């Protein structure tokens, strides 16, 4: 059974930077597509990015809003880099993958609203 643990959420100033992490275990991370989702307050979870295994150690993908998603297949960690962020990035960010035709979700990491 796969396990995903998100971390790195916290208060960020408008225009600041924040890097979220998702540590994966219990499955062959290097062979699975990974995904980032965001759940804004009072909203449903929305898709952000797909990060394919790729042939490199780091598989980078641009995300709407100026974010960058990438992975470290050597360390089994998925990242979401948020640079020049805006105040509306608040919410809970989840990583997920599809195992046995079922989404495996982490517990999420929260980015509080910024003043």
């Amino acid at each position: 059974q796969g396990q995903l643990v998100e971390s790195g959420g916290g208060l960020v100033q408008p225009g600041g930077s924040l890097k979220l992490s998702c540590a994966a275990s219990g499955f062959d991370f290097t062979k699975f597509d990974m995904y980032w989702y965001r759940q804004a307050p009072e909203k449903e979870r929305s898709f952000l990015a797909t990060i394919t295994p790729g042939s490199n150690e780091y598989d980078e993908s641009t995300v709407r809003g100026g974010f960058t998603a990438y992975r470290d297949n050597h360390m089994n960690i998925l990242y979401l880099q948020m640079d020049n962020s805006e105040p509306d990035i608040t919410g809970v960010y989840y990583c997920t993958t599809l195992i046995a035709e079922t989404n495996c979700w982490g517990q999420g990491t929260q980015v509080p609203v910024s003043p």
Side-chain angles (χ1 to χ4, degrees):
Q1 186 176 3
Q3 298 178 15
L4 301 172
V5 180
E6 300 95 336
S7 62
L11 186 64
V12 61
Q13 296 295 318
S17 298
L18 192 67
K19 185 169 72 175
L20 309 181
S21 300
C22 171
S25 62
F27 66 100
D28 193 348
F29 176 82
T30 67
K31 297 181 179 179
F32 280 75
D33 290 339
M34 300 296 298
Y35 312 90
W36 278 111
Y37 279 76
R38 176 203 176 197
Q39 185 171 7
E42 307 293 332
K43 302 293 184 181
E44 300 292 326
R45 281 177 293 186
S46 61
F47 169 80
L48 291 179
T50 299
I51 308 93
T52 59
S55 60
N56 300 320
E57 181 179 11
Y58 294 90
D59 184 12
E60 299 183 357
S61 177
T62 58
V63 183
R64 297 181 63 182
F67 301 164
T68 301
Y70 61 100
R71 66 195 296 157
D72 185 342
N73 280 337
H74 187 66
M75 300 299 296
N76 290 358
I77 301 178
L78 184 72
Y79 294 102
L80 181 64
Q81 180 71 47
M82 298 185 287
D83 294 323
N84 300 315
S85 61
E86 299 178 355
D88 61 354
I89 69 171
T90 182
V92 181
Y93 288 77
Y94 299 88
C95 63
T96 187
T97 190
L98 190 64
I99 301 179
E101 301 182 351
T102 301
N103 281 110
C104 178
W105 297 94
Q107 83 286 354
T109 186
Q110 187 171 28
V111 178
V113 61
S114 56

